[in-house]
């Protein structure tokens, strides 16, 4: 199994509070991704990173920011959480260029915004 | 994602029956991946297809990628309750943005 851990695994918070989810990998992989999974929408890409300090937006990036100050950690921040951000968040990593390798997924972080 | 259309959205089959799940894109796919997710858990990699016309099998699951690399199918032969879960196709469509289909929920009735 790929060494990828997410924290926290479960969080309940209130609207308007900041939230940070952490993805930590021990594989030294270059690419890291944050997805959210919602019924009827499958997995949607929020942000991704292709190296330290190199990040870019995915298809549903509004309301989210990310940071990657070292290879092993990719942080997802909700500056001011809203109820629409209640979801299950998955981190994924890949060591391969352009579609040539699989993504390895963390176990997910379930976030509830009241 | 709108980039990948997956069908059907859900499937209920009797144990022992065959089934097919489809994944379609309007763009060329740089690698097509199939994942399985058990309810409430993370995703498990099943297979990767890269070349047009490629076909791979693992146990009773076969995946194919068409020649134009825009459509893939996942076929399960003689389904079992252990096959139940959510199946997702994923692909690198633009740059290093990895997109997923909306998923197919499979229920196998014993």
């Amino acid at each position: 199994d790929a060494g990828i851990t997410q924290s926290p695994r479960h969080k309940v918070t209130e609207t308007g509070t900041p939230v940070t989810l952490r993805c930590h990998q021990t594989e030294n992989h270059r690419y890291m991704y944050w997805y959210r999974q919602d019924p009827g929408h499958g997995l949607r890409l929020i942000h991704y990173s292709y190296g330290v300090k190199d990040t870019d937006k995915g298809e549903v990036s509004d309301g989210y920011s990310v940071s990657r100050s070292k290879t092993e950690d990719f942080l997802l921040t909700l500056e001011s959480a809203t109820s629409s951000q209640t979801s299950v968040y998955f981190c994924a990593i890949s060591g391969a260029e352009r579609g040539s390798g699989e993504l390895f997924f963390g176990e997910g972080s379930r976030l509830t915004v009241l | 994602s709108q980039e990948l259309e997956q069908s059907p959205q859900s499937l209920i089959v009797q144990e022992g029956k065959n089934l097919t799940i489809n994944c379609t894109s309007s763009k060329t796919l740089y690698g097509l991946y199939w994942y399985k997710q058990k309810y409430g858990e993370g995703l498990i990699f099943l297979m990767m297809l890269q070349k047009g016309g490629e076909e791979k099998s693992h146990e009773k699951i076969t995946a194919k990628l068409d020649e134009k690399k825009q459509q893939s199918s996942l076929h399960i032969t003689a389904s079992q309750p252990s096959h139940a879960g959510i199946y997702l196709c994923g692909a690198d469509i633009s740059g290093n943005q990895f997109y997923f289909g909306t998923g197919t929920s499979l229920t196998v009735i014993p």
Side-chain angles (χ1 to χ4, degrees):
Chain A
D1 288 344
I4 175 170
T5 54
Q6 292 182 229
S7 60
R9 294 290 313 281
H10 300 273
K11 186 171 181 67
V12 179
T13 191
E14 293 187 348
T15 297
T17 60
V19 176
T20 295
L21 304 180
R22 180 185 185 228
C23 179
H24 179 77
Q25 61 145 329
T26 58
E27 304 296 320
N28 202 36
H29 281 346
R30 178 181 177 187
Y31 299 98
M32 299 186 76
Y33 304 80
W34 275 109
Y35 291 89
R36 59 178 290 175
Q37 186 175 35
D38 305 288
H41 292 281
L43 280 166
R44 292 181 291 175
L45 181 64
I46 305 171
H47 280 280
Y48 66 101
S49 170
Y50 45 95
V52 173
K53 292 188 175 18
D54 290 325
T55 65
D56 208 344
K57 296 179 179 180
E59 58 186 315
V60 290
S61 59
D62 288 347
Y64 301 94
S65 63
V66 290
S67 66
R68 190 163 178 204
S69 58
K70 43 187 178 175
T71 300
E72 56 266 37
D73 289 325
F74 192 32
L75 305 180
L76 177 71
T77 297
L78 291 66
E79 299 291 347
S80 178
T82 66
S83 58
S84 64
Q85 293 175 311
T86 293
S87 186
V88 180
Y89 292 86
F90 285 96
C91 176
I93 63 175
S94 174
E97 299 283 346
R98 188 139 209 183
S100 61
E102 65 182 277
L103 293 184
F104 298 96
F105 282 85
E107 291 299 310
S109 296
R110 184 174 296 275
L111 175 66
T112 302
V113 183
L114 301 176
Chain B
S1 166
Q2 297 298 316
E3 304 284 357
L4 287 173
E5 296 286 336
Q6 198 171 330
S7 63
Q9 284 193 327
S10 65
L11 208 48
I12 302 173
V13 300
Q14 200 77 36
E15 182 177 358
K17 296 295 185 183
N18 302 335
L19 62 105
T20 300
I21 299 168
N22 295 301
C23 180
T24 304
S25 173
S26 58
K27 300 177 182 178
T28 299
L29 305 174
Y30 294 90
L32 187 288
Y33 300 75
W34 283 100
Y35 286 83
K36 179 185 175 184
Q37 183 181 30
K38 293 202 170 179
Y39 297 102
E41 299 181 11
L43 281 75
I44 300 167
F45 172 77
L46 294 176
M47 273 175 274
M48 175 182 74
L49 304 165
Q50 283 189 289
K51 299 176 184 176
E54 187 174 8
E55 179 176 322
K56 287 188 178 178
S57 294
H58 176 66
E59 298 180 341
K60 294 185 178 181
I61 301 177
T62 300
K64 300 178 185 179
L65 182 62
D66 74 336
E67 290 289 345
K68 292 172 65 177
K69 295 173 63 176
Q70 289 182 305
Q71 184 170 354
S72 178
S73 60
L74 184 82
H75 184 77
I76 299 178
T77 304
S79 58
Q80 301 169 356
S82 61
H83 288 128
I86 300 172
Y87 289 81
L88 295 108
C89 63
D92 182 353
I93 295 174
S94 55
N96 286 301
Q97 297 191 40
F98 204 96
Y99 290 98
F100 284 87
T102 51
T104 296
S105 175
L106 173 63
T107 302
V108 181
I109 301 171

